[in-house]
Amino acid sequence: MKKQPRISVIGVGYVGLCTAVGLASKGYQVLASDIDAEKIAKINKGIPTFHEPGLQEKLTESITKGNLKGLVNAIDRAILETELTYVAVGTPSKPDGSIDLQYIESAAVSIGKALKLKDAYHVTIIKSTVVPGTTQNSVKPILERESKKKCGKDFGLCMNPEFLRQGSAFQDTLNADRVVIGSYDKQSGDKLEDLYKEFYSPKVPPIIRTTLSTAELIKYASNAMLATKISFINTIANICEKIPRADVKVVATAMGLDKRIGPLFLDAGLGYGGSCFPKDVKALIACSEQFGYIPELLNSTENVNKKQPLKAIDFCKKHLKVLEGKKIAILGLAFKPDTDDMREARVIPIINNLLSEGAQVIAYDPVATSMAKTIFKDSICYANSVTDCLKKADCCILVTEWPEFKKLTPDDFIKNMKQPILIDGRRIYEPKEFSKKLKFTAIGLGQ
Ligand code: UGA
């Protein structure tokens, strides 16, 4: 039987941990290295450092069986004791929108130093989202400089983007739509392709082999397309609001039946948030401008998204005239349901605007309250339940479409609020039912 390659993963955030546990759960021997000792201690006890359905069970199993081991800052060991290394460290944004490569570069320095000590051919795989040209122009020279070896001859280099969604990242790891392998040299691409063929057997998804830069761009192009789809439908929603009796939900459903358009990512709302779309659209714009091309479409995607959350404030003002002293209830803080992540959450500009207008804000979220406390401190109140949040409120803004909010009826708002005014920022309520009983305004609904 063919010997399975041993694998290491550098950086155990969302992507790194899902990749490490995915491989370990299929029997591969995996070493995971991170600079954060606390994270590694938890992982070695079988405790994930974030909430992701299905991950906990497989992590515990992998640790117990000895297939996965966490190491603190041990890139040298990770390289020497395995054949392939994934790099999944963070690539945050700089203030100008371009990406900050410091973690990628420092990982590359350590990998290069370890490669110097290794005789056998080793494959390094960049999984972090990096702008086109980074693997070839930044990572490769560092690896060659530090190892004093030649890329493509003594060691291999691949770029293999991820397409994981928070909330289903582990399931997405086990069931990919497609695998993209950019490789500097054919040998490293072949090794990675063999690994995925074995990993996904017998249901191997389409595997696309390409250059390092094309692989990098595929990731950005995919996220920019999805973000543009959202800004597009939000634009249609804003047009619908001007047209009596028009409804963006019906428009989106009908459009989605056209196979060329498809039904997904056409939910109008208060805009997209999270750690990926905002950052990746900005980075692609910055990268494109560096190459001398102004990507007008992407600038518009970004501008529409910047303005979209402020519609909630306009709606509030339409009903209440002045916001000073008014109590505004916010349902939902996380950037989307099933996560406590609030990075670039649309609720942040909404709450900041309400506060600057002198409103009092009370917010409820099933899981993101502790995260919100680190952002808003004591400038807002935090409710323990929907009822608690709605009590004596002048207006309610639904920001995140958590399942428990979908169950609310007009009476839940009427019996608790001072004035039953509801702004549905995610189109989860039936307009006919709600507008009959309370003052109801929803994104993309012509009055
Ligand atoms: C996104 C992509 O969907 C993944 O494929 C990608 O791998 C990931 O970014 C990444 O780059 O790592 P994620 O950020 O987890 O995943 O979230 P999504 O489920 O895509 O949602 C992003 C935002 O768009 C949320 O704020 C959501 O509320 C909003 N959205 C989504 C809409 O406003 N309308 C829609 O129709 C869909």
Side-chain angles (χ1 to χ4, degrees), residues 162-164 166 219 223 265 267 272-273 276-277 335-336:
E162 53 79 22
F163 304 101
L164 312 179
Q166 281 190 33
K219 167 67 193 225
N223 274 1
F265 273 71
D267 293 328
Y272 57 79
C276 306
F277 289 172
F335 87 94
K336 68 174 189 179

Side-chain angles (χ1 to χ4, degrees), residues 367-384:
V367 303
T369 303
S370 358
M371 192 60 77
K373 286 183 180 168
T374 65
I375 300 171
F376 301 114
K377 315 270 182 327
D378 55 5
S379 64
I380 67 167
C381 296
Y382 304 91
N384 293 319

Side-chain angles (χ1 to χ4, degrees), residues 241-269:
E241 283 161 24
K242 306 283 179 206
I243 304 173
R245 290 175 296 283
D247 185 349
V248 72
K249 262 200 119 160
V250 184
V251 175
T253 306
M255 279 173 61
L257 291 170
D258 184 328
K259 286 190 193 68
R260 295 166 302 171
I261 298 173
L264 304 178
F265 273 71
L266 284 180
D267 293 328

